[in-house]
Amino acid sequence: MFARASRLKLKQNARQQLHISPNDLHLPWLCPVLYEEQQLRRSSSTTTPPHATITRSRPAVTELKRSSPLARGLASATAFDYAPSIDEYIPFESEAGRHAPQAFQLPWMATAKDVTFDHLNTNTPIIIKDSLSTKTPRFRSIDAISGELHDIMSTLKACLHVGRFERAATLMQRLNSLYKPDAPALLAAHKDYIREYAWKILSTRDQKLLSNLQKWFEVELRGRGVVPDVDTYAFMIQAVLQDVSITRSNRSIRRYLHLAEKAGLRNELMNALLAVLNEQDFGRVTRISTPEPTSTASILTPEQDVTLLTAPPSKRPSPELPEVRPVDRNLTGWRALKQSLSVFSDPSDVLASEHLEATEEDKVKRSDVERQLRMEQDTYESALGKWRSESEQLKRLGINSALTHSSFGAMMWGWHEALEPAVREEIKLANEAECKAVKTPADEERCQYGPFLQYLDPAKLSAITILTTMTALGTSTEGERGYPVSRLVIKIGDAVQDESIAGYLKTHRARPGSLQGAPQPSGIRPLAIGMKRRVKSLKNTTDASPDISAQALEGYQWSPTVKAHIGAVLLSKLIDDAKCRVFGKHPENGSILESSQRAFLHRFRYSSGRRIGMLSLNSSMYDHLAKEPVASSLAQKHLPMVVEPKSWAGFREGGFLTSTTPLVRMLHGYDQSRKYIAIAVDNGDMAQVCAGLDILSRTPWQINGPVFEVMLEAWNSGEAIGGIAPENPDIQLPPEPPAEDRAARCQWLKEVRRLGNEKAGHRSERCFQNFQLEIARAYLNETFYFPHNVDFRGRAYPMPPFLNHMGNDLCRGLLTFGVGKQLGEDGLRWLKIHLANIFGYDKASFEDRVKFVEGHLADILDSADRPLQGQRWWLGADDPWQCLAACKELKNALHSPDPHAFVSQLAIHQDGTCNGLQHYAALGGDAIGARQVNLEPGDKPSDVYTGVAELVQRDIAEEARQGQELAQHLDGKISRKVVKQTVMTNVYGVTFMGARLQVLRQLRDLYPNFPESQAVNYHKAAFYIAGKIFRALANMFNGAHDIQYWLGDCASRIATAVTPEQMQRIESAMAGTLNEPEDFQKKSLKRKGERGYKDELLSFKQSVIWTTPLKMPVVQPYRHKTMEIIPTHLQRISLHNPSLADPVNKRKQLQAFPPNFIHSLDATHMVLSALQCEKQGLTFAAVHDSFWTHASDVSTMNRILRDAFITMHSEDIVGRLRSEFDIRYKGCLYMTQVKEKSPIGRKILDWRGKNGARHPRKKELEAAQIKELLLERRRLKLLASEKPEERQEGEAMVTPCSLFEQSDGEADLAVDESIADASLGNVSTRRENKLQLNEELMVGDEENIDVPDRTLDDPDERAEADVESAPAEATSSVDLTPKKRPTRQLKTWLWRPLTFPPVPKK
């Protein structure tokens, strides 16, 4: 027992082993001297998990639980011992001591003072060698078993989870016939099967099941040559311990121990059993075992493991405030939200803490935990309960709730009552289909999706289907045209999958004595026992996370095919069973007629020649849906938390207490990115990101009561005050013109449609604000928290969607920090500066801003005392509600006995000046640009937007003097507002077409009376101004332009690269020695060339991948999407099925890399600042490049922000990136192009003429490219040889690359237009604009059209070259008359070793 406890304590979470001070945060990426010293102590080893090769120096994945993650490299595994010396470089100067730790803390809350981070090592990035990824082999469908491996594995897991062991056995036998015995995937499937079987035996003690399992182990596992591992033996021992015959049980245990000993697994097996068996069973196994038990150690009591949350006690009394007047009290969404928030107003719903040993503070804390758990209760069960109650109310009145529109919730309950039995019947049919000897096509389809329907209760499946469908239709931009069926069925499938995974994790953790989790007590107990166990169960949720690794959870993701089938069958049942009542007038007598019709209509429409299935609501329901957004029913899980969020400890372990929200937000198809993140999480490499998120998540917040009272009064008045949407907007329709005037009537219809959209927009906005105010009212006098996660680039976002500090002015005005600090002299000054900033007076010096506030002190006091009855000065601010909050805070401080001693909770913002341009200016050493974005000190802050506007205005004024008509109309109209959005987004990759639309919107808003003629109109003006903005930026940020061009050039080379593994595969294929996939038996594979198996030999699959300073790997997910046709109950569904076998989208990889790289630097700077602010005891919050703290701490935070920025950019960031690229893409060859008419181009064409085709035709092109690729690979191998004769042979070889090297042809390289278009301030070519427009079109069910770049080597393409587009010049004269386009320059290709250009000099 003591030994078991000792071993359990040693098995700690990787996240909990990283608790050392961030004062020792060293970034060798930023510290080259230390970085070079580290290389002398590097260790090297590699591991190769199934299906991919991961290059890094670390223990194997299966050993991570037993290895310490204290020494990790930059998103890598190179481990080294490091002891910092006294004189080593520290990124931040040492500051005064940390604030005192909190005394009452829940166990999942790690403090940053316990977190350390290792040196970054860019020489050992995580590298998954997945370039050989091909489409998974497709097998013959037998006995209603899919031919797709992923579907077979998913179906197996579903059958095991729902207890369909007979079907699972059939699937396992199929896998035995497909895989070779030593295939890792086959062993993993057997382990899943045995684990679930063993759990069934543990819960039932069924002796027949035990006999079947032992027979399976001997016949189907060992008898087929599959070698068991430690977990397999442990599962079997767990099972045979349930044998009623002690003698037979002991004999079986002895046999499994003997087999494990023969395999050299004895000690590992005992360690595994130690962690999962109770003391009695482990003692029994130990007595049977020959080796002596391990040494004992003391046991830590549960009390030593449990610490509790510290936070100010919540104030329970509800404020005496009027209710928030709802948009409509009949809104289901409003009532659902009120029901979710009832935990704040109805204390009877939360169990009271009455145990005598509990203090009042402990009772409050326990109550907070219980309230939080209740808020996170099942969304769908809550929705069903709400619908049921509404239906019962109507039935008492004698109203048919299934048809009436008086209550949307009651009508959905009627749908549910019809849908649930239909789903139950479908599950029954699926089970019956499995038992049929002869199956029809419908039976075979049911066998494939039936097990997945049994993951969840039919009632929950019904609720998911209804809510997901209504939410999609309610948010569709297509309006009454409906929602594409192909997207909707995937949405439903995704929702069912997510709930199924959550249910699996809940079941997984609740299994006592399981290898896969720790026990989790349920129910509510007295405080002395219940609170400790309740908290302990939450701790176990965190501690179990390494066992359910991020990589392991990947196996539970369903394929698009499965999700399409699940979504289609559920949606088809809903369409058949959901009814509504429709009213109309009799055409003759005018009497009211009513009928029952389908609530959902499945129709088809045509777009670009393709038929698209659309689902729409019955037209009679749209008015009701517009009043009542159903999406609010799904929001209650993600309300702000009333206890501190769980610290992030795994891919799905953190944030909310019970929800399984992932650490990194990813869209469907981000498989490669998910793999890298999963490995980094399991390694502990994401500890820095997690620590930063924990700091943001632990920041306490409160509702600003005085501001809320004013906002509530303004809301209930129904007026449009401070951005609040008006209750009854004064929108008058223009008079209808006569029918004869068709032109006027067409214009009138457009205006009516515009006004209708405007009115609907006000209504929608008011509904959303209604939800925000209801949440704010419920959280009055509460301290709450916003859990955070990140996107794939590392940028942090709060998870609660309705009310958070990233919201608009209304949200921010309502929020204050949950703790206060005395202002002090410096804080009072910063409070005044903050008020001036949010009013809009933010371009003056700090002293002028203080004088501005002091000069308007009377207005400020009037605004604070009489905000709605006085002069309303605050409403003239850029951010009126934040201004009002600052006015009240300043008034309270000034009227206090000592303003400097006033305790302020207001968050003071410090915003970066176009932060993306700041990073570019620092990277490029751009002095002019640096001054524009305040990287150089000055009395007054520079304003880059004003600077760009002045340059544009100067050019336009000059051209107006020259008589240019459009310039004359625009002269004097170029304000800061016109250019701001385009300047801000240009650094983040906005296209020229996007910039034109941004300018167009501003012109329409600012100048509604602008001329609309053929020569002068909004569109021509927007095109003209956008070109001027781009050119101004290119001139102003010359160094940034060079860096952005370099980044684009690197991405272009990577996206056209072929890896050594690919080249080896091509060589084998050309030699006829290409082997079949090694894990599969050859007889099971379809012949090469059959559907779904053949893969192109020459395919560019390399994504741009880099590692942030926070050790987070970033993978750009942009690939050409493949389409799959899936026949379903409803229709044939065309789905994009992303795969690593798909080639990368070169244009998107190239254009997205510069902005994504800058975003990752943004995230790095924010997290490093957060860590240091936490160390200094500052309360910290951030909105990307806007940083918030108390007024008294602004100066300290500013110094930290500057130190972090300077530390980052004092080092060669771009040079380090280039070094990582050199290692990551070592050995690759990439395809580049040279001008045909250049000297080197002519030499290459002459060489090809002597060795084959000078211009190979399209059918011969790939073969010619492969031939030259292999020739160049051979030359490079010979040149790298240690044998002199081989080197001489390589030097004598002639290839296009050798000709290029001899001629020094760098100047003759053809410029990729996409690189220029990705550069700062560059105007896109017309071809790129056309592609951009194509991507905005909806063709079929695709979101985009991906048009790959083409090389003009095909004679047919060469003949069309003269009609290709030339760069579009946004010149001063916007002459749209047809012109002869310049002939596009012809290019030819060659293979070169993948190297990267020199980093631009600063």
Side-chain angles (χ1 to χ4, degrees), residues 6 59 132 425 574 608 803 814 877 1053 1087 1127 1199 1235 1385:
S6 175
L132 293 184
E425 179 64 21
L574 178 63
S608 300
L803 184 69
L814 285 172
R1053 298 184 182 203
R1087 290 189 300 276
R1199 186 176 69 253
K1235 304 167 189 174
Q1385 198 164 39

Side-chain angles (χ1 to χ4, degrees), residues 1143-1157:
V1144 295
N1145 186 321
K1146 174 187 173 183
R1147 186 171 56 83
K1148 288 186 178 180
Q1149 290 280 344
L1150 187 157
Q1151 293 183 345
F1153 178 41
N1156 284 340
F1157 180 69

Side-chain angles (χ1 to χ4, degrees), residues 57-113:
S57 302
R58 66 169 188 83
V61 174
T62 55
E63 300 173 0
L64 286 176
K65 304 170 191 175
R66 303 177 181 87
S67 63
S68 171
L70 286 174
R72 301 280 185 212
L74 167 61
S76 69
T78 293
F80 45 82
D81 298 323
Y82 172 67
S85 60
I86 297 176
D87 59 347
E88 285 183 330
Y89 176 75
I90 306 295
F92 301 97
E93 60 181 344
S94 178
E95 297 289 346
R98 159 183 297 276
H99 59 293
Q102 299 174 330
F104 192 79
Q105 185 181 25
L106 287 173
W108 62 80
M109 302 164 191
T111 54
K113 69 188 179 77

Side-chain angles (χ1 to χ4, degrees), residues 445-501:
E445 187 176 352
R446 283 193 171 100
C447 288
Q448 293 179 21
Y449 67 72
F452 298 92
L453 288 176
Q454 299 177 60
Y455 262 110
L456 303 175
D457 183 79
K460 179 170 285 189
L461 290 172
S462 172
I464 290 173
T465 305
I466 294 171
L467 276 175
T468 305
T469 302
M470 293 303 298
T471 302
L473 291 171
T475 57
S476 173
T477 58
E478 297 285 338
E480 295 191 19
R481 297 170 68 186
Y483 196 88
V485 170
S486 62
R487 298 183 193 175
L488 183 55
V489 296
I490 292 297
K491 276 183 176 290
I492 296 173
D494 279 331
V496 175
Q497 172 195 259
D498 292 344
E499 285 297 312
S500 300
I501 291 177

